[in-house]
Amino acid sequence: MARESLASKRERAATIEERMYAHYGPGEASLDYRTPFELTVAVVLSAQCTDAAVNKATPALFAAYPTPQTLAQADPADVAGLIRSLGFFRSKAKNLVALAQTVMADFGGEVPADVDLLQKLPGVGRKTANCVMCEAFKDPQGIAVDTHVFRIAHRLKLAGPSADTPQKVEDILLKVYPRDQWGYINHQWVHFGREFCRARSPRCADCIVGDLCPTRGRW
DNA sequence: ATCCCGAGGG
DNA sequence: CCCTCTGGAT
């Protein structure tokens, strides 16, 4: 079987993206998070818990602490009380207060629109920084390739067997997908990976992109 | 039981 | 490289 051309791969990826978008939407950016600060907080909170849980907790959180200034002065225990239904709430609360303090002390009260500076914020690593760049600043800097993205890229054969490291997978995906869709990958694939393309016992039979998947049913 | 939109720390 | 932090969904 001949290797699929980049053009063909791009075409297939575009159809896959249409399905994913229809199913999962564009991500946090579609919600009421008006400022980079709010969106950054929401993305930090999203780790290890559902979007629904985050969306339920954030209104009270932002009512109490609408700005980096106010959050910087908060007691982490009070913040923890507002996000108790989320996972890792104590460490998240501590990180969020420290994050606000860092924003005030080092970045003039504004969340920085820079993928490296963002990672100076407590609780913000590569993945979160990527999401914030995509969703808050509409300036995607890449695709964070975690185990889910890695697995899905290989199953969909968007990245071939020679793409044996996360960096290689990312390089390929950045060529396959247009830049303005990079942010969607981070958001949508995680949900897709949980609902259909699970590590074990994936739901190939009713998968929303099963007809576009070269390895359908092989897992 | 097992997994999840990770990141920090030893 | 390993561990820890956490509730919720399935």
Side-chain angles (χ1 to χ4, degrees):
Chain A
M1 184 164 64
R3 181 141 113 241
E4 184 179 18
S5 70
L6 180 58
S8 161
K9 217 180 265 189
R10 279 181 172 151
E11 204 173 315
R12 198 158 55 87
T15 312
I16 289 170
E17 169 52 26
E18 281 174 30
R19 305 265 184 88
M20 297 255 190
Y21 192 96
H23 210 74
Y24 300 113
E28 283 88 353
S30 65
L31 300 174
D32 258 351
Y33 303 128
R34 275 301 174 185
T35 63
F37 166 71
E38 286 193 355
L39 196 123
T40 302
V41 171
V43 175
V44 168
L45 290 177
S46 293
Q48 300 297 109
C49 74
T50 62
D51 289 354
V54 174
N55 296 336
K56 196 178 165 191
T58 43
L61 183 66
F62 294 137
Y65 310 106
T67 60
Q69 292 96 308
T70 50
L71 184 57
Q73 293 166 13
D75 180 345
D78 294 335
V79 176
L82 292 173
I83 59 173
R84 191 158 293 278
S85 60
L86 312 183
F88 303 155
F89 64 90
R90 265 181 286 263
S91 40
K92 282 175 183 172
K94 185 177 153 216
N95 279 147
L96 288 182
V97 173
L99 181 152
Q101 290 170 347
T102 304
V103 166
M104 294 308 296
D106 297 344
F107 299 110
E110 299 288 341
V111 171
D114 180 288
V115 72
D116 295 313
L117 293 181
L118 281 168
Q119 289 172 77
K120 309 264 190 208
L121 301 176
V124 177
R126 211 250 160 158
K127 174 132 192 178
T128 302
N130 251 315
C131 287
V132 171
M133 286 308 296
C134 292
E135 300 194 33
F137 299 117
K138 313 294 181 199
D139 184 22
Q141 299 295 305
I143 295 172
V145 179
D146 57 16
T147 55
H148 304 284
V149 173
F150 195 86
R151 179 179 73 251
I152 293 164
H154 279 90
R155 285 182 176 172
L156 285 171
K157 289 204 177 236
L158 293 175
S162 66
D164 53 359
T165 66
Q167 185 59 59
K168 287 182 187 172
V169 171
E170 176 172 4
D171 291 343
I172 291 170
L173 290 179
L174 297 185
K175 290 192 181 77
V176 170
Y177 281 91
R179 189 184 180 102
D180 62 351
Q181 290 180 1
W182 291 354
Y184 296 152
I185 310 302
N186 278 318
H187 172 76
Q188 293 164 354
W189 283 28
V190 168
H191 293 283
F192 173 67
R194 184 172 62 197
E195 187 176 359
F196 295 104
C197 204
R198 302 177 293 204
R200 275 164 263 168
S201 64
R203 288 169 49 193
C204 291
D206 61 338
C207 177
I208 55 172
V209 295
D211 56 315
L212 299 161
C213 180
T215 68
R216 182 180 204 173
R218 279 197 228 163
W219 313 96

